[in-house]
Amino acid sequence: MENTLHLSAAWDKTFPKSPQVDHRKVTFHNRYGILLAADLYTPKNATGRLPALAVCGPFGAVKEQASGLYAQTMAERGFLALAFDPSYTGESGGQPRYMASPDINTEDFQAAVDFLSVQDNADPEKIGIIGICGWGGLALNAAALDTRIKATVAATMYDMSRVNAKGYFDAEDSEAARYEKRKALNVQRTKEYREGVYHRGGGVVDPLPEDAPFFVKDYYDYYKTSRGYHKNSLNSNEGWNVTGCMSFLNQPILHYSNEIRSAVLVMHGDAAHSCYFGKDAYADMAKDSAYAGNKELLLIPGASHTDLYDGGGKNAIPFDKLAEFIREAMG
């Protein structure tokens, strides 16, 4: 297990520090021995055991971006909130860098729950998670596995297995298309093994082509501008390794979402290119389920995908609603 990480002592977030919240850096380890870095946000002058939240995402982002904003804002509403960097990214440990895994990334959420469960100022019976973008799907996967999680919010979610295996809008949903992806990735594996180095796949395209689709412009406006750029963010820079997300191709992460007994809020902008992920995940989770009563789909009118990263300059994220839903679910 790694013993030390190099953590920045500066306030290096893409959002201003709240005067209502105390902040400190912490570390915790997952079940695979990877040491994870996190920002812990605590309401000022809080006493007793608090309801607690673990927050992560978007996929390819870091805790200094959207997840930190969510965590700090929920701390303003009385929660002990932990925003963490996933394994192999940001300030967290794990070698080689810039890899993703449906198993290890689900474990990262569970490891965050481990950490919160033993904090003196956290109520272990009132722990929830918030996953943003690709981490929304991973949050659902964690909720299906971890009975300690009492409430889950999947915000502007992606199903990373689906998008890797079927492409955007399921446009590449065929055996032939998947075969070509697998073939290209395995050619890349041989090349990288021979060279002894992993190659990055590229983050959000820059400069932005004039004919770029809206969702690419949406990502550019967040990751490549002062709005959301961060030096540690994969999407803001060189992206994941080319083979970094390979295992998502044939390992569905939402297979048991229909068995989630705890409360889940799926929140999506109705103008987001990704909205179909949230709608379908909610429908699959609720269909013929004995536990559908505490599941909710919340569509935000006019909100794009990245509007639910930081509000999009129009306060698109209904944080009071999130706090109300989570508190009610926790009892």
Side-chain angles (χ1 to χ4, degrees):
M1 183 185 298
E2 293 158 294
N3 295 317
T4 59
L5 297 175
H6 300 290
L7 306 179
S8 171
W11 181 265
D12 56 350
K13 322 302 181 195
T14 60
F15 51 90
K17 192 175 189 306
S18 171
Q20 304 172 45
V21 175
D22 290 326
H23 159 267
R24 65 185 176 95
K25 287 290 186 73
V26 298
T27 61
F28 60 97
H29 66 273
N30 69 17
R31 191 162 49 93
Y32 296 109
I34 299 171
L35 193 61
L36 303 181
D39 289 301
L40 186 64
Y41 297 89
T42 309
K44 279 191 181 295
N45 304 315
T47 58
R49 291 184 176 271
L50 304 174
L53 296 169
V55 190
C56 196
F59 198 78
V62 288
K63 65 187 181 305
E64 290 79 16
Q65 296 172 306
S67 61
L69 174 63
Y70 269 71
Q72 179 176 261
T73 308
M74 296 305 285
E76 290 177 335
R77 286 154 176 76
F79 293 87
L80 179 68
L82 181 80
F84 65 91
D85 283 334
S87 297
Y88 311 111
T89 68
E91 291 184 318
S92 285
Q95 292 291 336
R97 305 301 291 164
Y98 317 123
M99 290 294 186
S101 161
D103 179 20
I104 295 174
N105 293 151
T106 300
E107 164 62 22
D108 289 343
F109 253 136
Q110 292 195 269
V113 174
D114 294 341
F115 173 84
L116 291 171
S117 295
V118 301
Q119 300 307 301
D120 291 340
N121 58 343
D123 186 339
E125 298 303 317
K126 294 184 177 181
I127 294 178
I129 60 175
I130 298 175
I132 307 163
C133 184
W135 279 83
L138 290 162
L140 296 182
N141 202 43
L145 184 61
D146 198 325
T147 57
R148 300 170 298 175
I149 296 170
K150 300 302 190 295
T152 299
V153 174
T156 194
M157 69 158 282
Y158 263 53
D159 176 344
M160 294 308 300
S161 289
R162 180 176 177 180
V163 76
N164 275 280
K166 300 182 180 182
Y168 280 103
F169 315 111
D170 297 340
E172 300 168 359
D173 185 14
S174 71
E175 183 276 339
R178 278 185 287 276
Y179 179 81
E180 291 303 320
K181 287 183 185 179
R182 293 168 183 142
K183 183 178 178 181
L185 286 167
N186 285 296
V187 167
Q188 183 72 18
R189 287 182 68 118
T190 303
K191 169 182 165 56
E192 291 180 341
Y193 195 86
R194 179 180 293 114
E195 295 176 351
V197 64
Y198 290 100
H199 295 277
R200 305 284 287 275
V204 174
V205 62
D206 188 18
L208 184 68
E210 290 186 8
D211 60 349
F214 170 74
F215 74 92
V216 175
K217 295 178 180 177
D218 195 32
Y219 282 133
Y220 182 93
D221 287 344
Y222 181 79
Y223 285 109
K224 289 294 190 176
T225 71
S226 58
R227 173 184 165 194
Y229 177 85
H230 194 277
K231 62 183 176 63
N232 291 344
S233 172
L234 284 70
N235 291 342
S236 291
N237 297 286
E238 286 79 39
W240 295 94
N241 289 341
V242 175
T243 61
C245 301
M246 184 176 183
S247 57
F248 281 95
L249 258 169
N250 66 339
Q251 297 188 28
I253 58 173
L254 300 182
H255 187 73
Y256 293 107
S257 64
N258 193 254
E259 298 180 7
I260 298 174
R261 297 191 181 190
S262 56
V264 178
L265 175 66
V266 177
M267 177 178 67
H268 231 113
D270 68 1
H273 72 278
S274 52
C275 193
Y276 70 102
F277 288 123
K279 288 179 177 178
D280 289 356
Y282 170 77
D284 291 343
M285 184 169 45
K287 183 181 179 182
D288 300 325
S289 170
Y291 316 107
N294 57 2
K295 309 300 187 291
E296 183 175 341
L297 175 64
L298 175 64
L299 297 179
I300 310 299
S304 73
H305 183 80
T306 66
D307 284 344
L308 297 189
Y309 285 6
D310 62 352
K314 49 192 173 187
N315 297 315
I317 307 169
F319 284 111
D320 289 338
K321 163 66 178 176
L322 301 191
E324 177 186 2
F325 179 87
I326 293 169
R327 284 188 185 280
E328 182 176 339
M330 290 178 171

